[in-house]
Amino acid sequence: MAKEKVITPEQEAIAKSLYKSTDQFENSIWNMGWDELVPGAACFSFEGEIDHTVVNVNPEDRPNAETNSINKYVGDWRVVKPVWKVDLCIDCQNCWLYCPDTSIISRDKEMVGIDYDHCKGCGICSEVCPTNPKSLVMFDENTKNEDALTQWPEKNTKGE
Amino acid sequence: MYRNKRSMELADVEVWDGNVANSHALRQASVDVVSAYPITPSTGTVEAYASHNANGYVDGEMIMTESEHAAMSGCIGAAAAGARSATATSSQGLALMVETLYQASGMRLPIVLCMINRALAAPLNVNGDHSDMYLANQTGWISIDACTPEESYDLVLCAFRIGEHLDVRLPVIVNQDGFLTSHKAQNVRPLSDDAAYDFVGDYKEVNSMLNFDKPVTHGVQTESDWHFEHKAKQNAAMMASPKVIEEVFEEYAKVSGRKYNMIETYKSEDADIIIVCMGTTYQTAQVACDKMREEGIKAGVVMPRVFRPTQMDKLVETLKNAKAVVCMDRSAPGGQTGLLYNDVTAALFNTPYRPLVSNKIYGLGGRDINIGHLSTIYKEAQAEVEAGKLDGAIQKWIGVRGPELKYYSVEG
């Protein structure tokens, strides 16, 4: 039996640090009038010019501009959400691979959390999760995660 | 982005129709991407440019697309990527392009569109009227009008300079009349390839997608949160563009000896009766004007060279001493007055000047307008001035068979 997976506080922090709200930017576009905007609504991804090694830097450490879509909160689009039961996860990375919104956060090939600021609740991660019972299960958006973990489905047995 | 490597020897005076004149202006501007779907009567622009391309005079790309919508989309993609781009179209092609015209202006991409004006169907018609020019009237494109092949050549070169200016960054339409200008070979005195390119200059990239040092998204979605501010900024650039247009016209006069004005005038300074019209009618009206002057009517002609943005202050300055202004719109008005009438009356309304302003709908689908028609219009306007009021209605349809058509009656 493999060692049971646990999440360190550092790993947990990563999952919460991707999104920056408007008040975290010194020159927020929300404080700008029409005259200060970039012509044609062109949106920059990064502050200033970048060198091309940015691809090797984890998303939370990149110089993301306010207009980068990472800073666009779309969590309220969701009506159902995936909840992750850490101890069942085998780090197969299926969910990370299939998530259409890069909302499964992994570091060094280990899942560390779900990006609820960008997850839209499509349920693909749960669908492709191979464990039994699933480590990712969809719950109503209003259900608290700690309550969800107490309602986890039983293991499926053959023939049922 | 750079001057075409191979240049063409041109005579001091070439005999070109409006389409060929356009093609040489595009070639001399070393356009990076021409993306087009030819349509009569603008086919000649694309065809002649394709010949330049096939003969090795064009270093840029030429893309034949599957529709006008795709043609303008190709220009938009190229311009967002950081290329100088241009196309040509007419009538139904412009109609299919409309959705992307708004994209181009909203994304602030300085594309040049050579428009050969043609009536919009139905009934299907390939001849010239201004219904396509009027259709583009609120698309956020600067719209300039040419009467001759030489003017179109000149103004297409100017269009690149105007649209690409850092204070403007808006797309520009250069209009000319279908067949009357586009297919009538006339004398054109072109610049040399070098002089033309020196005038237009290298393309200045702004936030281009091919600048990998500063990744950027173009064509974004904004909702009620940002759309209003971006439209405000776009319109501010449009409203500030006349200053740049005048500068470019000044500079072009220095290299070509030909001076264009925001509003073109002919004998309007002391005129009692002024006809306001566009395209080739401006030339015919000048002949009629001279004839009227011989007969003792103080006639004048005015043409907005720059149709959009609207030149309210200059229209007032030009028309304030007239006793009658006849606005001639070559487009089916669709249950309203024509756009020139709307522009002129809007300009004059908040001023103390009160000439009689009437609206003539004429020349639809390329129906001829001749010196006789225009002389009659001058004489009727003179009679209205003497009577002190319009003859029953604001709008009259000129040169249409059947019972007289007039709308918007006026009291007394």
Side-chain angles (χ1 to χ4, degrees):
Chain A
M1 183 97 181
K3 193 179 155 209
E4 194 173 276
K5 182 176 165 79
V6 288
I7 289 292
T8 65
E10 292 77 27
Q11 285 174 318
E12 208 176 332
I14 292 170
K16 289 178 179 163
S17 68
L18 294 184
Y19 166 83
K20 272 168 90 180
S21 60
T22 296
D23 50 21
Q24 289 172 273
F25 288 90
E26 216 170 288
N27 277 325
S28 169
I29 53 172
W30 288 98
N31 298 325
M32 291 181 184
W34 62 264
D35 53 320
E36 296 168 274
L37 298 176
V38 180
C43 285
F44 296 109
S45 306
F46 303 110
E47 308 272 13
E49 298 204 344
I50 53 154
D51 64 27
H52 304 294
T53 57
V54 73
V55 71
N56 300 323
V57 179
N58 285 329
E60 65 273 20
D61 297 327
R62 293 175 192 169
N64 296 320
E66 188 183 9
T67 47
N68 191 309
S69 56
I70 205 167
N71 293 319
K72 176 72 178 167
Y73 175 77
V74 288
D76 51 2
W77 292 17
R78 210 166 43 229
V79 289
V80 289
K81 65 178 175 182
V83 176
W84 183 39
K85 197 164 169 64
V86 180
D87 51 357
L88 295 173
C89 177
I90 58 170
D91 280 325
C92 69
Q93 301 285 289
N94 258 8
C95 53
W96 175 83
L97 182 66
Y98 281 97
C99 174
D101 275 306
T102 61
S103 295
I104 300 294
I105 303 167
S106 283
R107 293 292 175 267
D108 303 321
K109 298 183 184 172
E110 285 184 19
M111 179 168 170
V112 300
I114 296 166
D115 175 1
Y116 284 116
D117 295 331
H118 300 103
C119 168
K120 297 178 185 69
C122 69
I124 289 174
C125 55
S126 175
E127 198 66 34
V128 299
C129 180
T131 64
N132 187 5
K134 287 186 183 292
S135 334
L136 285 159
V137 175
M138 302 306 288
F139 285 88
D140 186 274
E141 177 65 21
N142 296 322
T143 310
K144 285 182 180 165
N145 278 18
E146 54 263 38
D147 295 342
L149 291 169
T150 65
Q151 303 163 25
W152 213 258
E154 294 293 315
K155 180 176 182 174
N156 275 341
T157 51
K158 275 187 179 172
E160 276 182 50
Chain B
M1 203 151 304
Y2 304 107
R3 193 184 302 254
N4 285 331
K5 284 192 277 297
R6 190 171 174 203
S7 63
M8 197 183 279
E9 288 295 321
L10 299 173
D12 289 346
V13 179
E14 293 279 349
V15 181
W16 290 339
D17 64 25
N19 276 319
V20 173
N22 280 347
S23 77
H24 281 282
L26 297 180
R27 180 184 62 76
Q28 291 183 323
S30 299
V31 176
D32 295 305
V33 175
V34 167
S35 164
Y37 186 81
I39 180 171
T40 302
S42 64
T43 309
T45 298
V46 184
E47 185 182 353
Y49 187 80
S51 296
H52 304 324
N53 187 31
N55 293 336
Y57 289 103
V58 172
D59 294 345
E61 296 294 320
M62 192 172 177
I63 308 166
M64 289 289 106
T65 56
E66 74 275 19
S67 74
E68 286 86 357
H69 187 280
M72 182 48 66
S73 300
C75 288
I76 290 167
R84 176 174 285 159
S85 62
T87 189
T89 199
S90 298
S91 180
Q92 313 301 121
L94 187 278
L96 187 55
M97 246 180 217
V98 165
E99 189 252 337
T100 49
L101 294 181
Y102 281 85
Q103 304 280 2
S105 60
M107 289 164 71
R108 305 289 300 276
L109 303 173
I111 298 160
V112 171
L113 168 56
C114 305
M115 182 126 83
I116 317 293
N117 299 133
R118 162 185 154 185
L120 278 160
L124 186 64
N125 182 310
V126 295
N127 285 292
D129 73 25
H130 294 156
S131 43
D132 48 7
M133 185 203 296
Y134 283 16
L135 177 60
N137 123 70
Q138 278 195 327
T139 54
W141 285 58
I142 292 171
S143 185
I144 306 178
D145 194 24
C147 309
T148 65
E150 183 173 84
E151 287 181 8
S152 190
Y153 166 84
D154 293 343
L155 293 169
V156 168
L157 289 178
C158 290
F160 288 106
R161 273 287 292 274
I162 294 164
E164 291 170 13
H165 194 283
L166 293 175
D167 294 345
V168 179
R169 297 310 278 199
L170 285 169
V172 185
I173 293 172
V174 179
N175 296 281
Q176 59 172 274
D177 279 355
F179 292 103
L180 297 178
T181 308
S182 69
H183 285 64
K184 284 211 176 92
Q186 299 172 43
N187 286 357
V188 179
R189 295 160 291 170
L191 305 180
S192 72
D193 281 11
D194 274 344
Y197 189 83
D198 288 344
F199 171 74
V200 175
D202 289 342
Y203 183 77
K204 294 180 281 291
E205 288 180 55
V206 174
N207 303 333
S208 68
M209 292 177 75
L210 288 182
N211 177 6
F212 299 125
D213 296 331
K214 208 166 181 342
V216 66
T217 302
H218 277 274
V220 301
Q221 180 176 9
T222 66
E223 295 300 336
S224 46
D225 48 2
W226 286 115
H227 186 87
F228 206 171
E229 280 72 22
H230 281 291
K231 282 295 162 194
K233 191 171 181 95
Q234 179 191 337
N235 195 59
M238 189 74 161
M239 297 308 285
S241 67
K243 181 169 169 283
V244 173
I245 298 173
E246 284 180 309
E247 282 169 17
V248 171
F249 284 170
E250 285 288 344
E251 277 199 49
Y252 192 71
K254 282 182 205 153
V255 296
S256 70
R258 298 189 284 273
K259 176 72 172 72
Y260 294 95
N261 303 291
M262 304 300 282
I263 306 265
E264 301 291 356
T265 58
Y266 184 74
K267 298 187 177 174
S268 68
E269 292 78 18
D270 65 336
D272 288 340
I273 319 288
I274 293 180
I275 281 181
V276 181
C277 59
M278 284 193 290
T280 46
T281 312
Y282 178 60
Q283 298 180 303
T284 316
Q286 289 175 32
V287 181
C289 175
D290 284 342
K291 193 162 160 258
M292 289 302 103
R293 290 259 170 184
E294 283 167 21
E295 294 180 20
I297 294 176
K298 288 167 84 177
V301 197
V302 165
M303 172 175 114
R305 173 72 69 192
V306 177
F307 176 54
R308 291 292 177 265
T310 313
Q311 302 300 299
M312 280 216 189
D313 51 346
K314 293 199 173 59
L315 279 173
V316 173
E317 200 51 41
T318 311
L319 303 173
K320 65 181 181 185
N321 295 324
K323 292 175 181 160
V325 178
V326 184
C327 302
M328 299 193 51
D329 283 293
R330 195 170 202 165
S331 176
Q336 57 169 327
T337 43
L339 291 185
L340 282 181
Y341 175 85
N342 293 353
D343 289 357
V344 165
T345 48
L348 291 172
F349 190 81
N350 286 301
T351 70
Y353 312 113
R354 283 288 174 270
L356 295 170
V357 189
S358 59
N359 185 205
K360 310 291 183 207
I361 303 299
Y362 78 101
L364 302 191
R367 176 64 53 84
D368 196 23
I369 180 98
N370 59 34
I371 299 162
H373 294 126
L374 289 153
S375 302
T376 305
I377 288 168
Y378 274 123
K379 285 175 189 165
E380 285 177 0
Q382 177 71 24
E384 287 177 334
V385 167
E386 280 157 18
K389 60 182 183 184
L390 290 183
D391 180 24
I394 292 170
Q395 185 179 82
K396 287 187 183 175
W397 289 49
I398 303 300
V400 61
R401 289 188 297 273
E404 186 187 29
L405 282 171
K406 53 182 180 182
Y407 299 103
Y408 302 112
S409 64
V410 284
E411 290 293 312

